Amino acid sequence: MWVKLAFKLFSQEFRRGELTIIFAAIALAVLTVFSLSSITERIGLNIEQKSSDFIAADRRLSSNHELDSSYITKAKEYELQTAQMLFFDSMLFANDELVLGSVKATSNEYPLRGQVTIKDHLNGISYDVDSGPSQGNVWLSEGLFYTLNIKVGDKVELGAGIFNVSKVLMNEPDAPFFSLSGNKRVLLNYADIEMTQAVQPGSRVFHRLLFAGEEQQIQAYYTWLKPKLKRNQNWEGIKDRQSPLGENLLRAERFLLLAGLFGIMLAAVAMAVSAKRYCERQYDPVAMMKTLGGSRQVIRNIFLLHLTMVTLFSVVVGLLVGFILQYLGAGYLSQFMGTELPAAGFKPWLLSALIGVVCALMFSLKPLLDLFDIPPLRVLRRNLGDKLAISRLHVSISILTIFLLMWGFSGNIKTTLILFTSTLLVIAILFAISRLLFAAGRRLGLRPGSSWSLAIATLQKRANANAVQLISFALAIKLMLFLVVLKNDLITDWQMQIPTDAPNMFIINIAENEVEPIQNFFISNDIPHEAFYPVFSGRVDAVNGEEFAKRVSKQENEEQDKDARRGVSREPNLTWLDTLPDGNEITEGEWFSDSDEIQVSVFDGWKEVLDLKLGDTLTLLINEQIIEAKVTSFRKVDWGTIKPNFVMILSPNMAGKVPVTYFSAAQLKDSDTKAISQLLHQHPTISMIDIKSRLEQAQSIIAQVTLAIGFVLSIVLISGALVLISQVQASLAERMQEVVILRTLGARGKLIKLATLYEFLMLGAIAGFVAAFVSDVALLVIQQQMFNVEGRLHPYIWLLGPSSGAIFVALIGYFMVSNTMKQNTQGLLRKIA
């Protein structure tokens, strides 16, 4: 019998809108999590696929010695695509010209991701292909054509083999971003390696295997492969590359994760508020049912059935709306990205449905238990049971549930703790502020009949309810501010790394007598270029006369001096400059002074490595020459940019003391191709490193990430607005009562409207100020811990938070209650009844 009654009550309450709030909250939680998780998963897959072009595969295995053939056999069992590569240097000979080329031999399957860009002849138009050269053919980079004085169709000797030059090699998807091989690259078919006879036992070669396939199969294969890898073999993907792109992809992924976490938090807040409000609205019906003889068991069964039905219905609707939203969003993003986004898996469906059910259960359980304890006497004394409205247990359960949901979604306890702790900080600060402000409202002494007086009195009267509203408003504003500021910081950082005016070509091995002609060439052809930097290599041999430990011969049973100072083994490229280059910042000391002694500015990363301090004297071994230089400054260097950077920069009086070559960088347009070809023909000994296509790839991926982040951010902003709406809607009944009382006492409509507007303005401003404060502090931690960027304060959000919070809350709040203001007193009384 109770089931029939439950369905009848459910139907009536649904028609009257009694279940609208809790239904909307659960649906909001489900659609927010589904759309966010689905979109972020699809965007992440697309970005990962696009980024895989940079290594021509999903994963690659590198080795200095030949790889076991079983690796390929096992990969096929896991249904993975594979391609083989071999790198070596060999001489090329044609037309009595001899040059050392950097050879990359690839199997027919190369590339597994991305495309190779070629031209049919030097003056032809570039186009993309999905494979390398066929047997008997080689593709040469443009510089080799000028050095060897050949054209497409000619023959060239590579090692002991003779090959047909069939194409001009413009770009490979996995070409190194910066390589000294420059424009001396050769692409060879893997089957022709034996024909060259250049690879013999003991030859310096580099092996690589490429893999592509489903992520699950790749992970399973790596589980099999990992125990078999040697120490000098490396397994890597795009995220493992030490490059700005790999780091930026990790940052984008973490941002999307944050957005998903914030979406869950907003949806959970909306659900908690709505569940509590729904149960409060049932206090009177439950009291009436108990008065008419309804048992606690029957009442419990009825409302649990209501909760089950509304939860199932809400989850279905939330999934449907979320699917439509992410489908439309993915279509919109696909148009701008120029690519079809991969389909998402089952995870978004399961995750969003689970979160909807968990939210409904955990956030409704305590209010429902309170609902069952409503005394029958409430029909006579309407205030009975109101003390159950605020429950510490309910708050604790809600907080714990939100934490567990965030942790389960992120899988990262550190990230969850940072966000969760900052959120608790917001709640604590706001609760204290709300108590102080609302309690002080009576002592402000504003004049009677003033809208401000009425607004402050209303705030004080509803201190508990307003404290909850204030916390909800601040959480929504904090999360939105957090993502907006972080998005701007990330995009600004990316744009700084690859600015629009960045050079896209490097010219190296320039002789001193070639500097002026090449510089005049750039000027006459209107090609923007960097300065010409003198370059030489040198080794730090001693500090303050204390020599570093020298390498010893184990063959001769020599023992290393354990007391000797430890240095660095490599010889970095050095230069001398008279001004501090862009992208460098002096962290300690001063730039070069007018002095006869040679001075040096050192990258601050080497300060600890070499145990240096200002005033130390470095002994540099350059070829056979010894140069002493005094350390006058340490520099912070942004190695993520493509600008020329140096570990050590010497003072200008170093000029003329050691032999050098020069290098420069330029920004080329497509129309400059012919002119650059002439330059290479006139100066065949220089090398050109063209990174234009690599920059375009990187900028394209960053643009996609930026667009994706903007779309995800818009979903979170909409969720935040819905949270604010649910909070205001929860207080509509109480506001109706206040309007009726004020009108009965003779208050004018304008006074009531302005008082309501001022109330929301104050709530929004206070919430925005606290949200800005906590967001800025939390951003310092998040930027350093999650994004590996220097944390910084953002003064503008101290104005943006209160102003946007006041406007945002006032507009939404006033819009929600405006219909109440327009209704006459008689209509409002009917609704209240």
Side-chain angles (χ1 to χ4, degrees), residues 593-644:
S593 60
D594 293 331
S595 174
D596 293 334
E597 65 179 342
I598 296 174
Q599 303 164 58
V600 61
S601 177
V602 183
F603 163 53
D604 58 7
W606 274 34
K607 178 181 178 181
E608 295 182 4
V609 174
L610 298 177
D611 191 20
L612 299 177
K613 61 182 181 298
L614 292 177
D616 283 347
T617 299
L618 300 184
T619 301
L620 302 175
L621 183 60
I622 303 170
N623 297 326
E624 296 181 356
Q625 189 173 357
I626 294 177
I627 301 289
E628 291 191 344
K630 180 181 179 181
V631 178
T632 58
S633 65
F634 294 104
R635 291 171 294 113
K636 178 182 177 183
V637 180
D638 186 1
W639 298 101
T641 67
I642 57 175
K643 297 283 186 180

Side-chain angles (χ1 to χ4, degrees), residues 26 306-318 357:
I26 299 175
H306 285 184
L307 178 62
T308 302
M309 293 170 65
V310 77
T311 299
L312 293 176
F313 188 45
S314 302
V315 168
V316 172
V317 172
V357 173

Side-chain angles (χ1 to χ4, degrees), residues 437-594:
L437 290 177
F438 302 151
R442 295 177 179 176
R443 297 191 291 271
L444 290 179
L446 296 176
R447 61 187 179 87
S450 166
S451 298
W452 282 107
S453 299
L454 182 57
I456 293 174
T458 306
L459 286 175
Q460 197 281 331
K461 176 188 173 186
R462 285 203 306 269
N464 288 335
N466 283 330
V468 175
Q469 278 195 337
L470 194 62
I471 290 170
S472 299
F473 293 158
L475 286 178
I477 296 169
K478 174 216 166 192
L479 299 183
M480 290 185 284
L481 279 177
F482 202 102
L483 289 184
V484 169
V485 174
L486 190 56
K487 168 183 173 287
N488 292 338
D489 281 0
L490 288 181
I491 293 172
T492 300
D493 185 59
W494 294 339
Q495 290 172 342
M496 287 174 62
Q497 287 182 3
I498 307 180
T500 54
D501 60 345
N504 53 26
M505 182 197 74
F506 291 91
I507 296 181
I508 61 175
N509 296 329
I510 304 172
E512 190 169 0
N513 63 338
E514 292 178 311
V515 171
E516 186 175 351
I518 294 175
Q519 190 172 28
N520 292 334
F521 169 83
F522 285 150
I523 295 173
S524 61
N525 287 276
D526 196 25
I527 297 176
H529 64 283
E530 299 286 326
F532 285 77
Y533 294 88
V535 178
F536 58 97
S537 60
R539 176 187 177 89
V540 182
D541 205 39
V543 176
N544 297 328
E546 183 183 354
E547 294 187 353
F548 289 127
K550 296 181 178 179
R551 297 184 65 181
V552 297
S553 172
K554 295 183 179 179
Q555 180 68 34
E556 303 299 336
N557 296 320
E558 292 181 341
E559 294 185 3
Q560 193 167 28
D561 186 354
K562 296 181 180 179
D563 297 327
R565 193 172 185 142
R566 299 287 179 242
V568 289
S569 57
R570 69 184 183 95
E571 296 187 5
N573 287 324
L574 310 177
T575 189
W576 63 74
L577 295 172
D578 54 0
T579 58
L580 186 69
D582 293 338
N584 287 237
E585 179 186 347
I586 293 180
T587 56
E588 188 178 352
E590 296 180 353
W591 191 242
F592 305 133
S593 60
D594 293 331

